[in-house]
């Protein structure tokens, strides 16, 4: 039985201040944590046991996901006292897996509609050591650029460089043979991108690319967070996680877990539970749980849990913290 590891221990630096109180994978996309969308994707291909590889703000995951039974999954938590890097995290988390031959590893900040079962099939057909999901982006400099040969074999792995040789990039979903994970040194800081992949390629390891161009997004910046959320609400991106919930309102204009909403809500906005929005205009925004507002206009913004907005305020391209403090930040970047 295939099992999975989710890498959810990074600091989410580029998303500060949004990641000051919750780790990036717990930020809401279309009202649900990024991690929940990923669990649904793994569950869809029959994966039952999933280890969350946690480090930064690790305590936030357990109260929400518990033992996973609510989702029909068995969720385990591996904790790194200090972040061990992506490969170190995989090695550490693998201790909690049972004896299986292959392991799906997911970066914890990606939403993707790619066909994971087809990736698994390709991995088995090639008898590969590792099979990487690759996607194409316009500018590959912020990613791992991954050239492949005509047979799909990975020729090189070049993490974040100024002149990437190809716009096919590492999309952050890997299938590993367990024996490869066993070869990663224990309790050491190791990076798959900068060490494990390049080393295995130079040693002649069988690393293949699964190229797929369906919807894919790395939630690395506030702008990407809004993009991912509004794309899910508008139906540009899909997630099986949303089908489990009974929303008070769900169409392409907006999604809401709360009943007490009035005004004009549009642009793929997402409104969490226990919110009270009276006569508000909301466009392309994320409103977290427990937010209250009256006669407000909120555009292209992220409102944190429990924020009470001053009546009649206008909030644009901004982050509002739980105390209602407004910071105009970088949603345009
Ligand atoms: N447990 C644990 N420990 N998780 C970690 C650690 C760690 O030390 N470091 C990073 N992670 C997790 C992050 O939480 C995130 O979910 C994932 O690993 C990737 O880290 P990012 O910091 O988001 O990396 P990136 O976006 O700059 O680049 C990575 O993703 C790109 C695709 O989205 C690389 O894998 C690139 O090669 C890739 O193209
Ligand atoms: Mg990322």
């Amino acid at each position: 039985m295939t099992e999975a590891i989710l890498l959810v221990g990074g600091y989410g630096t580029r998303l500060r201040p949004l990641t000051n109180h919750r780790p990036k994978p717990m930020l809401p996309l279309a009202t649900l944590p990024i991690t929940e969308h990923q669990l649904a994707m793994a569950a869809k291909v029959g994966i039952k046991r999933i280890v969350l590889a946690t480090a930064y703000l690790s305590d936030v995951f357990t109260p929400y996901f518990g033992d996973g039974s609510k989702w029909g999954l068995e969720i385990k938590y591996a904790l790194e006292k200090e972040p061990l890097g992506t490969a170190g995290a995989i090695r550490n988390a693998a201790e909690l897996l049972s004896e299986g031959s292959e392991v799906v590893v997911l970066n914890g900040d990606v939403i993707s509609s790619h066909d994971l079962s087809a990736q698994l099939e390709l991995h088995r057909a090639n008898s590969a050591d590792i099979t990487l999901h690759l996607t194409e982006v316009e500018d590959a400099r912020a990613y791992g650029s991954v050239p492949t040969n005509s047979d799909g074999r990975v020729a090189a792995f070049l993490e974040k460089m100024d002149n990437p040789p190809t716009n096919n990039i590492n999309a952050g979903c890997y299938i590993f043979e367990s024996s490869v994970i066993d070869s990663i040194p224990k309790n050491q800081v190791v990076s798959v991108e900068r060490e494990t992949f390049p080393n295995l390629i130079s040693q002649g390891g069988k690393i293949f690319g699964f190229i797929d161009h369906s919807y894919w997004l790395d939630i690395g910046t506030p702008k990407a967070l809004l993009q991912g959320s509004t794309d899910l609400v508008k139906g540009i991106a899909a997630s099986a996680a949303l089908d489990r919930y009974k929303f008070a309102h769900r169409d392409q204009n907006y999604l809401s877990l709360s009943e007490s909403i009035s005004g004009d809500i549009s642009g793929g906005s997402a409104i969490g539970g226990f919110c009270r929005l009276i006569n508000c205009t909301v466009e392309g925004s994320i409103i977290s749980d427990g937010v209250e507002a009256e006669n407000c206009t909120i555009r292209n913004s992220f409102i944190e849990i429990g924020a009470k907005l001053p009546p009649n305020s206008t909030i644009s391209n901004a982050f509002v913290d739980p105390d209602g403090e407004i910071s105009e930040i970088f949603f345009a970047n």
Side-chain angles (χ1 to χ4, degrees):
M1 177 61 80
T2 310
E3 299 177 328
I5 294 171
L6 252 66
L7 298 173
V8 293
Y11 289 112
T13 320
R14 286 174 299 157
L15 271 151
R16 280 184 196 144
L18 283 68
T19 45
N20 283 353
H21 305 289
R22 40 183 166 172
K24 175 166 62 170
M26 289 303 286
L27 288 170
L29 281 181
T31 75
L32 308 178
I34 300 171
T35 299
E36 193 167 350
H37 296 288
Q38 295 192 301
L39 293 178
M41 177 182 169
K44 229 166 89 178
V45 298
I47 292 172
K48 288 269 181 276
R49 182 183 290 203
I50 300 182
V51 180
L52 301 190
T54 68
Y56 175 65
L57 297 178
S58 56
D59 295 352
V60 181
F61 293 95
T62 329
Y64 189 90
F65 292 110
D67 64 2
S69 50
K70 223 167 118 186
W71 290 265
L73 296 167
E74 190 190 341
I75 297 178
K76 306 263 181 200
Y77 301 87
L79 174 65
E80 300 145 47
K81 285 195 195 87
E82 291 297 327
L84 286 171
T86 43
I90 294 168
R91 180 69 175 90
N92 185 54
E95 301 282 318
L96 298 175
L97 297 175
S98 54
E99 304 278 306
S101 67
E102 64 197 10
V103 180
V104 172
V105 177
L106 299 169
N107 277 357
D109 63 339
V110 161
I111 43 168
S112 174
S113 297
H114 83 282
D115 187 345
L116 180 53
S117 47
Q119 187 183 350
L120 280 159
E121 273 168 36
L122 183 76
H123 179 79
R124 291 166 195 156
N126 286 328
S127 303
D129 293 322
I130 300 174
T131 303
L132 310 175
H133 169 210
L134 307 180
T135 190
E136 196 179 354
V137 293
E138 266 178 36
D139 181 354
R141 285 175 300 175
Y143 303 98
S145 173
V146 186
T148 47
N149 299 332
S150 54
D151 60 355
R153 200 149 167 168
V154 170
F157 192 104
L158 303 150
E159 182 70 8
K160 298 186 181 64
M161 64 180 326
D162 284 340
N163 295 301
T166 169
N167 285 354
N168 274 348
I169 58 127
N170 167 30
C173 173
Y174 322 125
I175 301 167
F176 268 83
E177 282 303 294
S178 301
S179 52
V180 178
I181 297 180
D182 292 343
S183 70
I184 299 169
K186 254 187 185 178
N187 301 320
Q188 282 183 34
V189 178
V190 188
S191 156
V192 279
E193 295 89 344
R194 297 185 191 277
E195 296 169 82
T196 313
F197 295 151
N199 290 347
L200 280 169
I201 293 162
S202 66
Q203 289 160 13
K206 290 176 80 180
I207 306 195
F208 283 84
F210 172 76
I211 301 176
D212 179 295
H213 297 304
S214 50
Y215 185 94
W216 182 87
L217 188 68
D218 165 283
I219 313 289
T221 61
K223 188 189 174 203
L225 183 73
L226 284 188
Q227 176 86 50
S229 186
T230 53
D231 283 351
L232 281 165
V233 176
K234 290 175 183 169
I236 295 168
S239 166
L242 295 171
D243 301 335
R244 292 187 67 248
Y245 288 82
K246 202 172 158 3
F247 290 96
H249 182 98
R250 184 178 180 181
D251 67 14
Q252 297 197 348
N253 286 319
Y254 79 99
L255 187 69
S256 176
L257 283 167
S258 302
E259 301 275 355
S260 308
I261 307 295
S262 68
D264 180 12
I265 323 287
S266 66
S269 295
I271 300 167
F274 312 103
C275 291
R276 197 171 150 273
L277 303 184
I278 308 299
N279 191 31
C280 290
T281 299
V282 181
E283 207 182 291
S285 295
I286 297 177
I287 315 288
S288 305
D289 296 341
V291 170
E292 293 186 12
E294 199 166 338
N295 296 321
C296 291
T297 298
I298 303 166
R299 289 206 170 88
N300 211 34
S301 293
F302 181 98
I303 317 294
E304 256 296 6
I305 299 173
K308 315 270 178 275
L309 305 184
N312 310 308
S313 42
T314 296
I315 289 153
S316 198
N317 294 315
F319 165 73
V320 180
D321 82 4
D323 299 323
E325 180 97 7
I326 302 170
S327 38
E328 308 256 327
I329 53 162
F330 36 82
F331 281 105
N333 299 323

